[in-house]
Amino acid sequence: MNFLKSLINQFAHLMQNRPGLMAVLAFSSGVASYVLVDRKESLAQFIALFLLFSWLWLLIDNWLRERVEQHFGVAMSPNIMRFVLQMVQQESLFFALPFFLAVTSWDHPQAIFTALIIFCAFISLIDPLYYKKLAPNRTLFVVFHAFALFVVLLVILPILLNLTTSQSLAAALIAAIVLTIPSLGNLMQNGRWWRLPVSILLLCVLSAGLWQLRSWVPPAALRLTGITLSHEVDLEQRQPGASIKQLDAYTLHHQGLYTWTAVKAPRGLNEKIFHVWLLNNKEVDRITLDIKGGRDQGYRAWTHKLNFPSNPVGKWQVKVVTESEQLIGLTRFTVSP
């Protein structure tokens, strides 16, 4: 038992002295999982399971410490437990980061959400910021804790349970609140009585606000690998014809346009997406498309639009979005008189 206690203390001491090492390991595991997730390799699932169990372990922190000390005589220092909490948050943020970096549209409000992940990951890495600025502010720390859990759930739920992007978003929001509430007692020790209900109310309000802004959340499990507008599609090869970025109104009305897309998703994931047509930033049509995950080049599918307004002149966009309005990607074209 003394050897086990010594080993745990040595590991904690090493990680505390080299916080950057944990960030590198976490980011590397995220990249590895991102590469393997399309084939649903066991390693990607193992990493996701490890993170999920890490968060569940935090819920029974006090109970577990008491049982370990009672049965094995190993007393876990509160400093070690605080470090473990920081390590799990750091691992979660750096693990999820490669997924969001790969799918974010940087000219869209999605960039704000991904930038927030980068900022939180940076805070978790710098001890003076984490322990002296963030941790003493208990309300802010609870929000940080819930956000790290929410971000990692957005990634691991499609990997482990094959939930759609919309299902994952809703489940992650609910789970982030439900799993954070039991942790509030540990996070807010010796705090005033009103901090607990206020923190719960704050989490609920933030979750409701985030749901209203769900289009700002990048779909971590989906990535657009190709989008082309064309007058024709090769049905046998499942490939589009020549790409079109500009055409006249007469050609548009008489030939229409195909929207060919290739969307990469985890194997086993079935998702409903939409091709949303906008003229001068106003939606004029929405076409449903079902995709299946597992192809290395992305699931190739297309829709054909023939019905256009009588005056289609202007700047057009075709957005590829999920059921929860999360943007996967888009393309633009112009129609002249």
Side-chain angles (χ1 to χ4, degrees):
M1 290 302 103
N2 289 333
F3 172 76
L4 177 61
K5 183 177 180 180
S6 175
L7 189 64
I8 294 174
N9 286 327
Q10 287 179 10
F11 175 76
H13 183 71
L14 175 64
M15 290 296 103
Q16 285 175 319
N17 288 339
R18 294 179 173 82
L21 179 60
M22 189 63 224
V24 171
L25 293 175
F27 190 79
S28 299
S29 69
V31 173
S33 186
Y34 177 76
V35 172
L36 296 172
V37 68
D38 301 300
R39 298 175 177 83
K40 206 173 181 180
E41 294 282 353
S42 58
L43 179 58
Q45 291 185 318
F46 172 78
I47 296 172
L49 276 172
F50 169 76
L51 280 171
L52 183 60
F53 281 122
S54 297
W55 281 96
L56 294 176
W57 177 68
L58 289 176
L59 295 179
I60 57 173
D61 169 29
N62 285 338
W63 178 87
L64 187 62
R65 274 192 292 165
E66 292 174 359
R67 294 301 177 274
V68 169
E69 186 173 2
Q70 178 181 349
H71 292 286
F72 301 102
V74 179
M76 302 293 290
S77 167
N79 291 332
I80 292 180
M81 301 313 300
R82 285 195 294 268
F83 168 72
V84 170
L85 174 61
Q86 178 192 13
M87 185 176 67
V88 172
Q89 293 169 342
Q90 189 181 103
E91 166 74 12
S92 299
L93 292 166
F94 277 97
F95 168 82
L97 190 55
F99 289 85
F100 287 97
L101 289 175
V103 301
T104 298
S105 298
W106 295 101
D107 57 348
H108 186 272
Q110 286 181 347
I112 298 175
F113 186 86
T114 302
L116 183 59
I117 298 176
I118 296 173
F119 177 73
C120 290
F122 176 77
I123 293 293
S124 72
L125 182 63
I126 308 300
D127 284 354
L129 292 177
Y130 184 86
Y131 287 109
K132 295 182 179 180
K133 300 296 183 181
L134 177 66
N137 189 326
R138 289 170 174 163
T139 301
L140 187 60
F141 190 69
V142 167
V143 174
F144 181 91
H145 182 78
F147 180 72
L149 175 57
F150 171 69
V151 166
V152 76
L153 285 175
L154 287 177
V155 175
I156 67 177
L157 288 178
I159 297 175
L160 294 177
L161 304 179
N162 286 334
L163 295 183
T164 67
T165 305
S166 301
Q167 292 170 340
S168 297
L169 179 61
L173 278 173
I174 296 172
I177 296 177
V178 172
L179 295 179
T180 299
I181 289 175
S183 305
L184 292 179
N186 294 336
L187 297 177
M188 308 184 73
Q189 290 179 353
N190 302 320
R192 296 182 179 179
W193 67 269
W194 52 265
R195 288 186 178 274
L196 181 62
V198 168
S199 297
I200 295 175
L201 179 62
L202 178 61
L203 289 175
C204 293
V205 170
L206 290 176
S207 297
L210 189 56
W211 179 256
Q212 293 300 317
L213 297 175
R214 57 190 178 275
S215 63
W216 292 24
V217 180
L222 303 176
R223 180 162 62 93
L224 192 69
T225 59
I227 180 169
T228 302
L229 296 172
S230 180
H231 288 310
E232 59 184 3
V233 169
D234 187 331
L235 300 181
E236 292 184 0
Q237 300 295 324
R238 301 178 69 85
Q239 293 292 339
S243 177
I244 294 174
K245 292 296 183 182
Q246 186 168 357
L247 72 164
D248 58 76
Y250 178 84
T251 304
L252 181 68
H253 277 132
H254 285 77
Q255 296 189 36
L257 278 177
Y258 285 93
T259 304
W260 179 93
T261 52
V263 179
K264 199 170 185 179
R267 185 177 299 276
L269 181 64
N270 296 323
E271 180 106 9
K272 181 183 292 184
I273 64 173
F274 300 90
H275 289 167
V276 181
W277 295 73
L278 299 99
L279 172 59
N280 297 325
N281 293 321
K282 293 184 179 180
E283 182 176 331
V284 297
D285 203 357
R286 179 178 293 251
I287 305 175
T288 305
L289 188 64
D290 293 318
I291 63 169
K292 297 179 181 179
R295 288 184 55 86
D296 291 339
Q297 294 79 26
Y299 185 83
R300 296 170 294 175
W302 56 87
T303 58
H304 190 197
K305 181 171 173 58
L306 293 168
N307 183 25
F308 289 91
S310 57
N311 181 19
V313 175
K315 295 181 178 180
W316 284 79
Q317 291 183 16
V318 181
K319 292 184 176 181
V320 186
V321 302
T322 67
E323 290 182 281
S324 51
E325 296 299 323
Q326 293 168 267
L327 179 68
I328 304 173
L330 62 83
T331 187
R332 298 179 174 88
F333 68 101
T334 303
V335 176
S336 58

